Amino acid sequence: MTFSRRFSEYVISHRYEQMSADAIMATKLAILDWLGSAIAGGLEKPAKILSETLNTFGGLPQSTNFVTFEKTSVHYASLINGGASHILELDDVHKASILHAGASIIPAAFAVAEWKQATGRELIEAVALGFEVAIRIGEAVSPSHYEIFHTTGTVGTFGATVAVGKLLGLSVDEMVHALGSAGTQAAGLWEFIEDGAMSKQLHPAKACSNGLLAAALAKQQFTAASQILEGRRGFFAGLVKEVKEELLFHRLGEGYKIMENTYKIHSCCRHIHPTLDCVQEIFRENGSKIEEVERVVVETYQVALNITDKPDPRSVFESKFSLPYAAALMLVKGKTGLDEFTEENLFNPKIRRLTEKVNLRVDPALDALYPNLWPSRVTVHYADGTKLTKETHAPKGDPENPAGELELRGKFLGLAGKVISEKQAKDIADTIMNLEDVENVSTVFS
């Protein structure tokens, strides 16, 4: 049996009633967390460009565009909302697969659920299954795939396809073809980070729209490769140095990968979060001694430095991928949320001087824990010769150190409240957290 067929048989035979209460709750929280990032992300320039560009092409009024809150085509809504939800660096991530699953899966599922007037239960099931397949493929190809390819764009395409395919009622054979079309479209290169370019947001946007296209074409009997993952010229052969195939189906059906999801508290690259949690502890204990800091030593895993060793960020976007700057920002401000990553703070002399004192190192023992754990150790040395060290293997938001419903509701209200009224935000949060009772997803924003 091919890998695509095995996944397809699992997805198509799955029923909402199989899901545990914990899995349902985890899925609702994932949707709520994604929605906050999408709504607030709609204020940002990349989202506005996406929206304005696609609006010039027209589009049937089928699904909500979170930049304008007007209806556009399900295709354009997937693109726009996928991009918008990845801008603020506050969207979820799954550690072992190194995947921002929410931004690359939920926008497509939500847009299709609106279009097809699906029930909340159908949306919950589709999202959970999209996460299941995408995360498993991501685990199998990580971390080598991540060296060049942005997993959110590549692997995310498979997850979007599964979620949409489930909502469209594909057969097993149709889902196999849908996955074949997904794999041949899967793309996303890390080169964007060299320029701090907006194409990072294009990765989940295209994962959503390509997944939608793959599933919709399969519904119309459009054929594709049946062995798109393991085939001689397939996804693994073309885009992956090392594949751990044993992880693809390990304990499939015994639980849900969405329950392993991680949520962001800090508004920056997730590879920086372990360090920021450590620095925040130090700030709370010794924040008054900021002028006495002589140097800051950060020890972590190699991939974190590959992505975030940027000592001189020149834009707010770049600052969210600068571990030295983010650590200095936390030492000065005591928090690193959306309101701290600003143009004013970017060129704050006090923060810049401290940035120069941050030294980054790879610790082999910590490096060996990645990608299952994303650890960091921070030592702040003071002028009087004293030092303070903090270490974490599970920053806040990890399943081992979870952010609960109350915290994620608060995060959502803070983000959505930048765009809509407090009452509207609370009503939407209540609706999402009772999504299993919604008879028609298109009424969520009514």
Side-chain angles (χ1 to χ4, degrees):
M1 186 183 292
T2 68
F3 293 164
S4 291
R5 181 163 292 276
R6 190 167 176 185
F7 276 131
S8 297
E9 289 193 353
Y10 169 73
V11 168
I12 300 308
S13 65
H14 186 278
R15 295 294 176 266
Y16 172 86
E17 290 71 24
Q18 296 172 224
M19 297 183 68
S20 66
D22 287 344
I24 292 168
M25 173 59 78
T27 307
K28 292 188 294 184
L29 288 174
I31 294 171
L32 182 71
D33 191 73
W34 159 76
L35 189 54
S37 286
I39 291 174
L43 295 172
E44 302 297 316
K45 186 176 180 180
K48 290 180 177 179
I49 292 173
L50 266 173
S51 179
E52 290 167 5
T53 300
L54 293 174
N55 282 344
T56 65
F57 299 154
L60 296 173
Q62 297 167 322
S63 304
T64 304
N65 167 357
F66 295 143
V67 176
T68 64
F69 280 92
E70 298 171 339
K71 295 284 188 179
T72 186
S73 71
V74 63
H75 179 209
Y76 294 165
S78 297
L79 270 165
I80 295 164
N81 298 338
S85 58
H86 198 48
I87 296 171
L88 301 179
E89 292 299 328
L90 278 166
D91 52 317
D92 64 18
V93 66
H94 181 269
K95 289 181 296 184
S97 62
I98 326 178
L99 170 67
H100 295 279
S104 58
I105 295 169
I106 302 176
F110 203 97
V112 170
E114 278 194 275
W115 171 42
K116 291 297 184 181
Q117 300 185 4
T119 68
R121 292 186 174 203
E122 289 170 331
L123 176 58
I124 289 169
E125 182 187 24
V127 168
L129 291 172
F131 271 63
E132 192 71 22
V133 174
I135 288 171
R136 287 174 173 278
I137 295 173
E139 287 177 331
V141 302
S142 294
S144 68
H145 177 71
Y146 191 71
E147 294 172 11
I148 302 293
F149 296 98
H150 191 200
T151 321
T152 299
T154 56
V155 172
T157 306
F158 291 106
T161 299
V162 165
V164 173
K166 185 67 175 178
L167 286 166
L168 294 183
L170 298 190
S171 67
V172 171
D173 286 345
E174 289 167 346
M175 186 65 85
V176 170
H177 289 301
L179 289 171
S181 289
T184 206
Q185 296 179 90
L189 295 165
W190 266 108
E191 186 62 20
F192 74 82
I193 203 166
E194 301 300 328
D195 306 284
M198 295 179 186
S199 50
K200 182 176 194 284
Q201 284 77 59
L202 196 58
H203 296 170
K206 288 292 288 178
C208 289
S209 68
N210 289 342
L212 168 67
L213 179 62
L217 287 173
K219 187 68 175 176
Q220 300 300 320
Q221 308 308 305
F222 191 90
T223 63
S226 61
Q227 299 185 68
I228 195 62
L229 292 172
E230 73 273 33
R232 184 166 59 91
R233 288 168 288 195
F235 184 79
F236 292 162
L239 305 183
V240 187
K241 291 180 182 177
E242 179 186 0
V243 182
K244 293 167 280 189
E245 292 184 359
E246 69 277 7
L247 296 181
L248 285 171
F249 304 104
H250 178 64
R251 302 184 70 177
L252 177 64
E254 295 182 26
Y256 294 88
K257 290 291 184 180
I258 200 166
M259 297 175 68
E260 302 171 3
N261 215 23
T262 283
Y263 297 100
K264 287 186 174 185
I265 306 302
H266 311 292
S267 183
C268 59
C269 176
R270 183 64 185 182
H271 293 298
I272 301 176
H273 285 218
T275 295
L276 293 181
D277 274 19
C278 294
V279 176
Q280 191 168 49
E281 282 192 60
I282 292 170
F283 173 87
R284 288 168 178 166
E285 292 184 24
N286 263 3
S288 61
K289 294 179 65 176
I290 189 68
E291 299 297 337
E292 301 173 39
V293 172
E294 192 170 75
R295 62 192 172 100
V296 179
V297 178
V298 178
E299 298 168 281
T300 187
Y301 52 96
Q302 182 64 58
V303 170
L305 302 194
N306 293 348
I307 304 296
T308 67
D309 186 2
K310 297 180 180 301
D312 185 27
R314 308 310 295 175
S315 69
V316 172
F317 179 84
E318 280 192 59
S319 74
K320 294 188 175 196
F321 287 84
S322 169
L323 196 158
Y325 170 82
L329 179 65
M330 177 64 85
L331 272 174
V332 173
K333 298 294 182 179
K335 53 184 179 178
T336 45
L338 192 58
D339 294 333
E340 282 68 52
F341 281 95
T342 63
E343 195 80 20
E344 180 182 3
N345 284 336
L346 177 62
F347 296 106
N348 180 313
K350 186 176 183 179
I351 297 172
R352 283 292 182 163
R353 285 195 298 272
L354 199 52
T355 299
E356 294 174 0
K357 298 180 180 181
V358 178
N359 302 295
L360 308 182
R361 301 176 184 171
V362 173
D363 181 294
L366 298 182
D367 191 49
L369 299 175
Y370 179 82
N372 292 317
L373 296 173
W374 296 19
S376 180
R377 182 186 307 114
V378 178
T379 304
V380 177
H381 297 258
Y382 296 95
D384 62 4
T386 62
K387 62 182 181 179
L388 189 56
T389 299
K390 298 293 180 181
E391 180 174 339
T392 184
H393 294 184
K396 186 66 176 178
D398 274 14
E400 300 87 355
N401 185 12
E405 179 184 350
L406 188 62
E407 289 171 285
L408 293 179
R409 267 183 178 264
K411 177 184 172 183
F412 171 80
L413 294 176
L415 290 172
K418 295 180 180 297
V419 180
I420 58 180
S421 72
E422 182 180 355
K423 183 183 185 306
Q424 288 172 322
K426 286 182 176 177
D427 287 346
I428 290 172
D430 288 342
T431 299
I432 296 300
M433 294 315 298
N434 292 282
L435 192 57
E436 65 270 40
D437 299 324
V438 172
E439 292 299 321
N440 182 346
V441 172
S442 69
T443 65
V444 170
F445 294 104
S446 59

